[in-house]
Amino acid sequence: MTRLLENKNAVITGCNRGIGFATLKLFAEKGCNVWACVRCENKEFEKKAETIAKENNVWIKPVYFDLGNSEEIKAGIKQIRENKEKIDILVNNAGIEQQGGFFQMTPMAVFEKIFKINVFAQIEFSQYITKLMMRNKAGSVINLSSCAGIDMTGGYMAYSASKAAIISVTKTMASELINYGIRVNAIAPGIVETQMSRGLTDEARENTKNSSLMNRIGEPEEIAEAIAFLASDASSYMTGQVLRVDGGM
Amino acid sequence: MSNLEKYNEAFMEVFQIGEDQLTDDLKYQSIETWDSVGHMMLMAALEEAFDIMMETDDILVFESYPKGKEILSNNYDVEF
Ligand SMILES: NC(=O)c1ccc[n+]([C@@H]2O[C@H](COP(=O)([O-])OP(=O)(O)OC[C@H]3O[C@@H](n4cnc5c(N)ncnc54)[C@H](OP(=O)(O)O)[C@@H]3O)[C@@H](O)[C@H]2O)c1
């Protein structure tokens, strides 16, 4: 494996499982040090992170905070700042899904909760981290959108709309942060085998799977590879883009 | 380095200006380099220099060289 991210330092949210964990592992394999953001303290995660770090000769520092709590976000940022290391990469991966249902039957509280985590918290966290990245006049931010935010089939309005908002957030951030040499792109995965997609109805999973040319569900590692590409200098001429990784939907 | 020296250095480094330009007349958009892009660079430099995290409201009202000192001393315990 090429050490595509050698000597880079990344902040990745939602590292505990799914796409976030696969990204943490792949980044370490590619030589990247990581502040691994996880919602709450977790010894099992710490052990796994320690092993990955040792195997790949990088450091991984767990940072614990709930994206739904501004004070916790700030405390997390303080911890990251304490290291006085440069930040090259930010992966805004953590996110939540909703239970399916017609929008008319979806309580407003659900819309608010989904937008709070999937959109507002992503913006808030990015405000702080990109200010730290600006000083280097370089960097790459990758936001996790979704094909659901582009294709928008019925039944998941809160989630789809939040992921559509992330596309707009990505493009705006890209146009503002290019002044500081920071690139910002989004990944739009199709359906991926994680706890999140297991929450979909069987019908929704089948439909999405069948609508891809590859006729299968993606693996978290396949999304991580695309994230690593956008994080690396291999994508140095890309910003403000949404990269679909969906098996050909 | 004193806090005033740190404060001045952030301005001089970010805006590429000399100490003689650090007067009460130095305001947002009064020089070419203090535009919105430069403003955020200044905020980032001050955050690093004083190890603080500035609130968005403070970033918005930070409109001049003297006002900045006032904000830092009132809201972030930076003594000048
Ligand atoms: N799986 C898919 O089919 C799919 C498709 C398109 C896009 N995506 C996007 O890809 C990203 C990762 O999804 P995934 O499939 O890996 O989901 P996942 O397995 O459910 O993992 C989500 C991660 O986000 C963390 N998280 C959720 N809420 C949080 C909060 N309030 N504070 C801190 N961390 C929080 C979770 O922490 P805990 O472990 O503590 O719960 C978890 O580690 C998401 O943005 C998702 O929308 C996924």
Side-chain angles (χ1 to χ4, degrees):
Chain A
M1 167 150 337
T2 54
R3 304 268 287 185
L4 190 66
L5 302 174
E6 188 82 59
N7 295 327
K8 297 212 186 259
N9 302 332
V11 177
I12 307 175
T13 65
C15 281
N16 191 34
R17 56 185 157 92
I19 295 170
F21 184 74
T23 305
L24 166 68
K25 195 161 172 285
L26 186 72
F27 272 38
E29 287 165 7
K30 290 184 182 295
C32 190
N33 302 306
V34 182
W35 285 277
C37 305
V38 170
R39 192 197 315 234
C40 22
E41 206 160 334
N42 182 332
K43 292 288 163 215
E44 199 187 318
F45 172 78
E46 276 180 27
K47 251 193 223 154
K48 281 195 268 183
E50 225 176 270
T51 310
I52 295 171
K54 227 182 245 159
E55 281 172 1
N56 295 287
N57 199 23
V58 296
W59 53 255
I60 297 174
K61 297 180 199 297
V63 185
Y64 297 109
F65 59 90
D66 186 331
L67 277 164
N69 181 322
S70 286
E71 288 312 309
E72 284 192 25
I73 292 181
K74 271 192 213 161
I77 298 284
K78 272 197 187 127
Q79 202 184 321
I80 291 169
R81 282 170 54 125
E82 267 164 21
N83 294 127
K84 304 249 180 249
E85 301 274 4
K86 68 180 168 90
I87 302 174
D88 304 293
I89 300 157
L90 165 62
V91 184
N92 283 314
N93 163 74
I96 53 172
E97 81 285 37
Q98 70 167 121
Q99 257 192 337
F102 285 154
F103 83 93
Q104 290 154 316
M105 294 160 71
T106 308
M108 284 314 292
V110 171
F111 284 95
E112 281 165 17
K113 185 174 165 211
I114 298 269
F115 267 73
K116 185 172 166 83
I117 302 299
N118 286 4
V119 185
F120 303 139
Q122 315 289 326
I123 296 171
E124 188 177 0
F125 191 58
S126 301
Q127 281 184 331
Y128 291 120
I129 295 289
T130 56
K131 249 194 284 168
L132 297 174
M133 292 169 90
M134 270 164 45
R135 297 281 283 160
N136 311 325
K137 291 257 178 204
S140 175
V141 178
I142 300 97
N143 295 322
L144 265 289
S145 176
S146 168
C147 286
I150 303 170
D151 302 337
M152 309 196 196
T153 52
Y156 293 90
M157 186 196 265
Y159 179 76
S160 304
S162 74
K163 292 298 174 181
I166 282 301
I167 294 175
S168 167
V169 163
T170 299
K171 289 178 185 284
T172 309
M173 274 171 66
S175 67
E176 294 185 11
L177 293 177
I178 199 61
N179 294 306
Y180 310 101
I182 301 172
R183 299 183 296 110
V184 187
N185 293 288
I187 298 271
I191 192 162
V192 184
E193 192 59 74
T194 67
Q195 197 162 310
M196 180 176 283
S197 63
R198 280 173 224 131
L200 290 172
T201 59
D202 288 347
E203 193 191 350
R205 268 171 75 93
E206 265 319 287
N207 285 347
T208 325
K209 191 176 108 180
N210 294 338
S211 66
S212 78
L213 294 175
M214 293 186 184
N215 242 305
R216 68 173 175 85
I217 288 176
E219 294 300 327
E221 291 73 19
E222 295 177 290
I223 308 302
E225 288 285 358
I227 295 174
F229 164 68
L230 288 180
S232 77
D233 299 335
S235 61
S236 57
Y237 196 46
M238 281 181 76
T239 194
Q241 301 306 307
V242 183
L243 184 60
R244 290 183 74 124
V245 188
D246 60 5
M249 277 167 76
Chain B
M1 201 188 280
S2 72
N3 283 342
L4 183 62
E5 283 168 334
K6 282 192 208 168
Y7 185 72
N8 287 349
E9 195 160 291
F11 273 81
M12 292 191 291
E13 189 204 310
V14 170
F15 297 145
Q16 298 288 297
I17 54 176
E19 203 156 7
D20 55 318
Q21 285 176 273
L22 301 178
T23 66
D24 286 0
D25 293 333
L26 182 59
K27 291 186 173 66
Y28 178 59
Q29 290 188 336
S30 68
I31 53 171
E32 206 181 325
T33 43
W34 196 349
D35 56 5
S36 54
V37 174
H39 189 67
M40 285 313 300
M41 279 303 281
L42 177 67
M43 297 305 114
L46 292 170
E47 286 192 347
E48 191 176 297
F50 295 108
D51 200 18
I52 53 172
M53 282 164 69
M54 291 179 68
E55 296 294 335
T56 314
D57 287 349
D58 291 325
I59 292 175
L60 280 176
V61 296
F62 196 120
E63 59 192 16
S64 67
Y65 173 77
K67 180 75 181 171
K69 269 195 260 183
E70 191 186 306
I71 291 169
L72 291 188
S73 60
N74 290 348
N75 304 350
Y76 301 92
D77 298 328
V78 177
E79 285 177 22
F80 288 100

